[in-house]
Amino acid sequence: MGKKGNVVPLPTGGGSVLKKLMGGLITLAIVALVIKHPSDAAAWVRAVSSAATEAIDGVATFFRQVASSG
């Protein structure tokens, strides 16, 4: 028989059953959305990424102005 000391335990992620169930349902909803409405999903991803880019640019501009005024 092999040694049991070599077995690496798999992470269970902790958390409650409800938390895992909600994560699974959200993932399932996103997959269903992408399958049923791929062009709408792509447009939403583009809009979110554009908003995130604008937010990052705004923060970077703020820090540049703070650094140059000091």
Side-chain angles (χ1 to χ4, degrees):
M1 291 198 145
K3 295 180 183 179
K4 291 189 177 187
N6 292 338
V7 177
V8 177
L10 296 174
T12 58
S16 67
V17 174
L18 181 61
K19 194 176 204 181
K20 291 178 184 178
L21 180 63
M22 290 302 295
L25 288 174
I26 290 171
T27 301
L28 183 63
I30 291 172
V31 169
L33 180 75
V34 168
I35 290 172
K36 288 189 173 200
H37 306 285
S39 59
D40 290 339
W44 293 334
V45 169
R46 272 188 242 114
V48 168
S49 66
S50 175
T53 302
E54 289 176 15
I56 291 169
D57 287 343
V59 170
T61 301
F62 169 77
F63 282 118
R64 268 190 246 119
Q65 289 180 355
V66 167
S68 68
S69 68

